[in-house]
Amino acid sequence: IMELAAAMWKKIGVRCHIRTIKKEKFMELRKNGKIVCYTARFSVDYNDPDAIIYLFYGTPDMTKNRSLCYSNEDIMARVYDACCIVDEPRRLKEYRYLEKKIVQEDCAWIPLFSNEHYFVVSDRVKNFKVFWNGWTNTRYHDVVIEDKD
């Protein structure tokens, strides 16, 4: 993924060097805001824009700990305040603005892809459930496989 990103950036004049480091060193550097760019996977565990935006951009410490080093304190204050908006249309409008500002205008985060989840089941499998976020229900004690006739 990093090689692909580097090749795309090179086309627009951005030169970069890819370096592989051990996880322990990476986590130490990331926590101290010393990593310039890295790939990460993140799955939303509840269906709300706050699940990502606040976690990554809610405070200067949060953005530093994830090595995003986002410095727009006005936007961070708006992120912090957005989770308290109770008027749902107003709240979603604010999150749309924040996402546009952080991702499109400030380029502080570059989403590359979203995972798709595929499941193979048969008519014999009963009670298998998939959550809204694509995770499978890990409570398999309810899953039943019917005998073939």
Side-chain angles (χ1 to χ4, degrees):
I1 291 173
M2 291 304 294
E3 289 174 0
L4 180 61
M8 289 187 279
W9 292 336
K10 185 176 181 179
K11 290 180 182 179
I12 61 169
V14 177
R15 293 183 307 145
C16 63
H17 173 75
I18 300 170
R19 189 176 76 175
T20 304
I21 57 177
K22 292 189 184 254
K23 183 176 181 176
E24 295 79 21
K25 183 68 173 173
F26 167 79
M27 295 304 285
E28 175 190 333
L29 291 169
R30 189 183 91 168
K31 185 176 179 182
N32 293 312
K34 302 291 184 188
I35 301 277
V36 177
C37 182
Y38 63 93
T39 59
R41 292 177 59 185
F42 188 81
S43 293
V44 178
D45 50 359
Y46 60 94
N47 194 10
D48 192 288
D50 192 61
I52 294 179
I53 292 178
Y54 178 76
L55 185 63
F56 289 85
Y57 300 98
T59 69
D61 281 341
M62 286 180 186
T63 189
K64 179 183 175 196
N65 288 343
R66 296 196 178 270
S67 206
L68 300 168
C69 302
Y70 188 63
S71 61
N72 191 330
E73 291 191 19
D74 291 335
I75 293 298
M76 279 189 269
R78 286 180 74 164
V79 168
Y80 187 83
D81 292 341
C83 64
C84 297
I85 300 172
V86 293
D87 176 25
E88 193 67 16
R90 187 173 147 242
R91 186 170 183 272
L92 290 176
K93 182 179 179 184
E94 179 69 356
Y95 277 112
R96 275 191 221 86
Y97 167 79
L98 291 167
E99 181 179 310
K100 182 178 180 194
K101 178 67 176 159
I102 293 167
V103 177
Q104 295 177 4
E105 295 176 17
D106 293 348
C107 298
W109 186 11
I110 306 170
L112 296 176
F113 60 87
S114 178
N115 288 333
E116 288 192 34
H117 301 272
Y118 296 98
F119 306 98
V120 178
V121 294
S122 79
D123 292 339
R124 294 176 47 216
V125 176
K126 305 298 179 196
N127 302 325
F128 177 78
K129 298 194 179 13
V130 178
F131 292 139
W132 63 269
N133 60 0
W135 297 351
T136 58
N137 183 344
T138 55
R139 295 179 54 198
Y140 296 113
H141 67 273
D142 294 332
V143 175
V144 176
I145 299 176
E146 294 179 341
D147 290 331
K148 277 182 150 180
D149 290 347

